Short mmCIF file of all heavy atoms in Angstrom, two decimals:
data_model
loop_
_atom_site.label_atom_id
_atom_site.label_comp_id
_atom_site.label_asym_id
_atom_site.label_seq_id
_atom_site.Cartn_x
_atom_site.Cartn_y
_atom_site.Cartn_z
N SER A 1197 -6.11 7.03 5.06
CA SER A 1197 -7.26 6.25 4.58
C SER A 1197 -8.19 5.80 5.71
O SER A 1197 -9.28 5.31 5.44
CB SER A 1197 -6.84 5.03 3.75
OG SER A 1197 -6.60 5.39 2.42
N ALA A 1198 -7.76 5.95 6.96
CA ALA A 1198 -8.64 5.57 8.07
C ALA A 1198 -9.85 6.51 8.11
O ALA A 1198 -9.78 7.67 7.71
CB ALA A 1198 -7.87 5.63 9.38
N THR A 1199 -10.97 5.99 8.60
CA THR A 1199 -12.19 6.77 8.71
C THR A 1199 -12.55 6.95 10.18
O THR A 1199 -12.60 5.99 10.95
CB THR A 1199 -13.36 6.08 7.99
OG1 THR A 1199 -12.99 5.79 6.64
CG2 THR A 1199 -14.59 6.97 8.00
N ILE A 1200 -12.76 8.19 10.56
CA ILE A 1200 -13.24 8.51 11.91
C ILE A 1200 -14.76 8.49 11.87
O ILE A 1200 -15.38 9.21 11.08
CB ILE A 1200 -12.72 9.88 12.38
CG1 ILE A 1200 -11.18 9.87 12.43
CG2 ILE A 1200 -13.29 10.24 13.74
CD1 ILE A 1200 -10.57 11.23 12.72
N CYS A 1201 -15.36 7.64 12.72
CA CYS A 1201 -16.81 7.40 12.63
C CYS A 1201 -17.48 7.61 13.98
O CYS A 1201 -16.85 7.64 15.04
CB CYS A 1201 -17.09 5.96 12.19
SG CYS A 1201 -16.34 5.47 10.62
N ASP A 1202 -18.80 7.72 13.90
CA ASP A 1202 -19.64 7.69 15.10
C ASP A 1202 -19.60 6.26 15.66
O ASP A 1202 -19.75 5.30 14.91
CB ASP A 1202 -21.06 8.07 14.70
CG ASP A 1202 -21.98 8.26 15.90
OD1 ASP A 1202 -21.91 7.43 16.82
OD2 ASP A 1202 -22.77 9.22 15.92
N PRO A 1203 -19.39 6.11 16.99
CA PRO A 1203 -19.35 4.75 17.56
C PRO A 1203 -20.60 3.92 17.28
O PRO A 1203 -20.54 2.69 17.22
CB PRO A 1203 -19.19 5.01 19.08
CG PRO A 1203 -18.59 6.37 19.17
CD PRO A 1203 -19.14 7.15 18.01
N ALA A 1204 -21.74 4.60 17.08
CA ALA A 1204 -22.97 3.87 16.83
C ALA A 1204 -23.09 3.39 15.39
O ALA A 1204 -23.94 2.54 15.09
CB ALA A 1204 -24.17 4.76 17.17
N ALA A 1205 -22.25 3.92 14.49
CA ALA A 1205 -22.31 3.53 13.07
C ALA A 1205 -20.91 3.52 12.48
O ALA A 1205 -20.55 4.41 11.69
CB ALA A 1205 -23.23 4.49 12.30
N PRO A 1206 -20.08 2.53 12.85
CA PRO A 1206 -18.70 2.49 12.36
C PRO A 1206 -18.59 1.95 10.93
O PRO A 1206 -18.21 0.81 10.71
CB PRO A 1206 -18.02 1.55 13.36
CG PRO A 1206 -19.11 0.64 13.81
CD PRO A 1206 -20.39 1.45 13.79
N ALA A 1207 -18.94 2.79 9.95
CA ALA A 1207 -18.92 2.38 8.54
C ALA A 1207 -17.80 3.12 7.83
O ALA A 1207 -17.92 4.32 7.54
CB ALA A 1207 -20.26 2.70 7.89
N PRO A 1208 -16.68 2.46 7.52
CA PRO A 1208 -15.54 3.15 6.90
C PRO A 1208 -15.80 3.49 5.44
O PRO A 1208 -16.54 2.78 4.74
CB PRO A 1208 -14.40 2.14 7.02
CG PRO A 1208 -15.09 0.81 7.04
CD PRO A 1208 -16.39 1.03 7.76
N LEU A 1209 -15.20 4.56 4.98
CA LEU A 1209 -15.23 4.92 3.56
C LEU A 1209 -14.25 4.03 2.81
O LEU A 1209 -13.31 3.48 3.40
CB LEU A 1209 -14.86 6.39 3.38
CG LEU A 1209 -15.91 7.39 3.88
CD1 LEU A 1209 -15.29 8.77 4.07
CD2 LEU A 1209 -17.09 7.47 2.92
N PRO A 1210 -14.42 3.86 1.48
CA PRO A 1210 -13.49 3.02 0.71
C PRO A 1210 -12.06 3.53 0.84
O PRO A 1210 -11.82 4.74 0.92
CB PRO A 1210 -14.01 3.15 -0.73
CG PRO A 1210 -15.44 3.55 -0.59
CD PRO A 1210 -15.52 4.38 0.65
N GLN A 1211 -11.11 2.61 0.84
CA GLN A 1211 -9.70 2.95 0.92
C GLN A 1211 -9.29 3.82 -0.27
O GLN A 1211 -9.81 3.66 -1.39
CB GLN A 1211 -8.84 1.69 0.94
CG GLN A 1211 -9.00 0.86 2.21
CD GLN A 1211 -8.19 1.44 3.36
OE1 GLN A 1211 -6.98 1.46 3.33
NE2 GLN A 1211 -8.89 1.90 4.38
N ILE A 1212 -8.37 4.75 -0.05
CA ILE A 1212 -7.88 5.61 -1.12
C ILE A 1212 -6.88 4.82 -1.96
O ILE A 1212 -5.85 4.37 -1.43
CB ILE A 1212 -7.20 6.87 -0.56
CG1 ILE A 1212 -8.20 7.66 0.30
CG2 ILE A 1212 -6.64 7.73 -1.68
CD1 ILE A 1212 -7.58 8.83 1.03
N PRO A 1213 -7.15 4.60 -3.25
CA PRO A 1213 -6.20 3.83 -4.07
C PRO A 1213 -4.94 4.64 -4.35
O PRO A 1213 -5.01 5.83 -4.62
CB PRO A 1213 -6.99 3.57 -5.36
CG PRO A 1213 -7.97 4.69 -5.44
CD PRO A 1213 -8.32 5.04 -4.02
N ILE A 1214 -3.81 3.98 -4.28
CA ILE A 1214 -2.53 4.63 -4.49
C ILE A 1214 -1.78 3.92 -5.61
O ILE A 1214 -1.78 2.69 -5.70
CB ILE A 1214 -1.67 4.60 -3.20
CG1 ILE A 1214 -2.43 5.28 -2.04
CG2 ILE A 1214 -0.32 5.27 -3.42
CD1 ILE A 1214 -2.72 6.73 -2.25
N ASP A 1215 -1.15 4.70 -6.50
CA ASP A 1215 -0.35 4.12 -7.57
C ASP A 1215 0.79 3.27 -7.02
O ASP A 1215 1.27 3.49 -5.91
CB ASP A 1215 0.25 5.24 -8.44
CG ASP A 1215 -0.73 5.70 -9.50
OD1 ASP A 1215 -1.77 5.06 -9.66
OD2 ASP A 1215 -0.45 6.73 -10.15
N GLU A 1216 1.23 2.33 -7.82
CA GLU A 1216 2.42 1.55 -7.48
C GLU A 1216 3.63 2.48 -7.40
O GLU A 1216 3.65 3.54 -8.02
CB GLU A 1216 2.66 0.46 -8.54
CG GLU A 1216 1.59 -0.62 -8.55
CD GLU A 1216 1.57 -1.43 -7.27
OE1 GLU A 1216 2.67 -1.71 -6.73
OE2 GLU A 1216 0.47 -1.75 -6.78
N PRO A 1217 4.69 2.10 -6.66
CA PRO A 1217 5.88 2.95 -6.57
C PRO A 1217 6.50 3.23 -7.93
O PRO A 1217 6.40 2.42 -8.85
CB PRO A 1217 6.83 2.12 -5.70
CG PRO A 1217 5.95 1.17 -4.95
CD PRO A 1217 4.78 0.89 -5.85
N THR A 1218 7.12 4.41 -8.04
CA THR A 1218 7.78 4.77 -9.30
C THR A 1218 8.93 3.83 -9.61
O THR A 1218 9.17 3.46 -10.75
CB THR A 1218 8.31 6.22 -9.20
OG1 THR A 1218 7.22 7.09 -8.85
CG2 THR A 1218 8.91 6.66 -10.51
N ILE A 1219 9.68 3.42 -8.58
CA ILE A 1219 10.82 2.51 -8.75
C ILE A 1219 10.61 1.30 -7.85
O ILE A 1219 10.26 1.45 -6.68
CB ILE A 1219 12.15 3.20 -8.38
CG1 ILE A 1219 12.39 4.38 -9.31
CG2 ILE A 1219 13.31 2.22 -8.47
CD1 ILE A 1219 13.64 5.17 -8.96
N ARG A 1220 10.82 0.12 -8.39
CA ARG A 1220 10.73 -1.10 -7.60
C ARG A 1220 12.06 -1.85 -7.70
O ARG A 1220 12.58 -2.02 -8.81
CB ARG A 1220 9.58 -1.98 -8.08
CG ARG A 1220 9.49 -3.32 -7.35
CD ARG A 1220 8.33 -4.15 -7.84
NE ARG A 1220 7.05 -3.52 -7.49
CZ ARG A 1220 5.88 -4.02 -7.87
NH1 ARG A 1220 5.82 -5.10 -8.62
NH2 ARG A 1220 4.77 -3.41 -7.51
N MET A 1221 12.59 -2.30 -6.57
CA MET A 1221 13.87 -2.99 -6.54
C MET A 1221 13.70 -4.36 -5.89
O MET A 1221 12.93 -4.51 -4.94
CB MET A 1221 14.92 -2.18 -5.76
CG MET A 1221 15.16 -0.80 -6.32
SD MET A 1221 16.40 0.14 -5.40
CE MET A 1221 17.87 -0.78 -5.79
N ILE A 1222 14.40 -5.36 -6.44
CA ILE A 1222 14.38 -6.71 -5.89
C ILE A 1222 15.80 -7.05 -5.43
O ILE A 1222 16.76 -6.98 -6.22
CB ILE A 1222 13.90 -7.73 -6.94
CG1 ILE A 1222 12.46 -7.40 -7.36
CG2 ILE A 1222 13.99 -9.15 -6.38
CD1 ILE A 1222 11.93 -8.30 -8.47
N PHE A 1223 15.95 -7.43 -4.16
CA PHE A 1223 17.25 -7.83 -3.61
C PHE A 1223 17.26 -9.36 -3.47
O PHE A 1223 16.36 -9.93 -2.84
CB PHE A 1223 17.48 -7.17 -2.24
CG PHE A 1223 17.58 -5.68 -2.31
CD1 PHE A 1223 16.45 -4.88 -2.21
CD2 PHE A 1223 18.80 -5.06 -2.49
CE1 PHE A 1223 16.53 -3.51 -2.28
CE2 PHE A 1223 18.91 -3.68 -2.55
CZ PHE A 1223 17.77 -2.90 -2.44
N SER A 1224 18.27 -10.01 -4.06
CA SER A 1224 18.34 -11.47 -4.00
C SER A 1224 19.80 -11.91 -3.96
O SER A 1224 20.72 -11.11 -4.14
CB SER A 1224 17.63 -12.08 -5.22
OG SER A 1224 18.25 -11.67 -6.42
N VAL A 1225 19.99 -13.20 -3.76
CA VAL A 1225 21.32 -13.76 -3.76
C VAL A 1225 21.92 -13.67 -5.15
O VAL A 1225 21.24 -13.91 -6.16
CB VAL A 1225 21.28 -15.23 -3.29
CG1 VAL A 1225 22.66 -15.87 -3.36
CG2 VAL A 1225 20.73 -15.30 -1.87
N SER A 1226 23.19 -13.31 -5.22
CA SER A 1226 23.85 -13.17 -6.52
C SER A 1226 23.91 -14.51 -7.25
O SER A 1226 24.25 -15.55 -6.67
CB SER A 1226 25.27 -12.62 -6.34
OG SER A 1226 25.95 -12.60 -7.58
N THR A 1227 23.55 -14.48 -8.54
CA THR A 1227 23.64 -15.68 -9.39
C THR A 1227 24.75 -15.54 -10.43
O THR A 1227 24.78 -16.27 -11.41
CB THR A 1227 22.29 -15.92 -10.09
OG1 THR A 1227 21.95 -14.75 -10.86
CG2 THR A 1227 21.18 -16.20 -9.08
N SER A 1228 25.67 -14.60 -10.20
CA SER A 1228 26.76 -14.39 -11.14
C SER A 1228 27.68 -15.61 -11.19
O SER A 1228 27.91 -16.27 -10.18
CB SER A 1228 27.57 -13.16 -10.71
OG SER A 1228 28.80 -13.09 -11.41
N PRO A 1229 28.20 -15.95 -12.40
CA PRO A 1229 29.14 -17.09 -12.48
C PRO A 1229 30.43 -16.87 -11.71
O PRO A 1229 31.15 -17.81 -11.39
CB PRO A 1229 29.41 -17.20 -13.99
CG PRO A 1229 29.06 -15.86 -14.54
CD PRO A 1229 27.93 -15.37 -13.70
#
């Protein structure tokens, strides 16, 4: 997503949007009884 520019006009292109991950995991302290 970085843009290589002319030093005299450093205008970046919009960031490339990326989908959220297919799998998301949360690690936390066990709350089991």
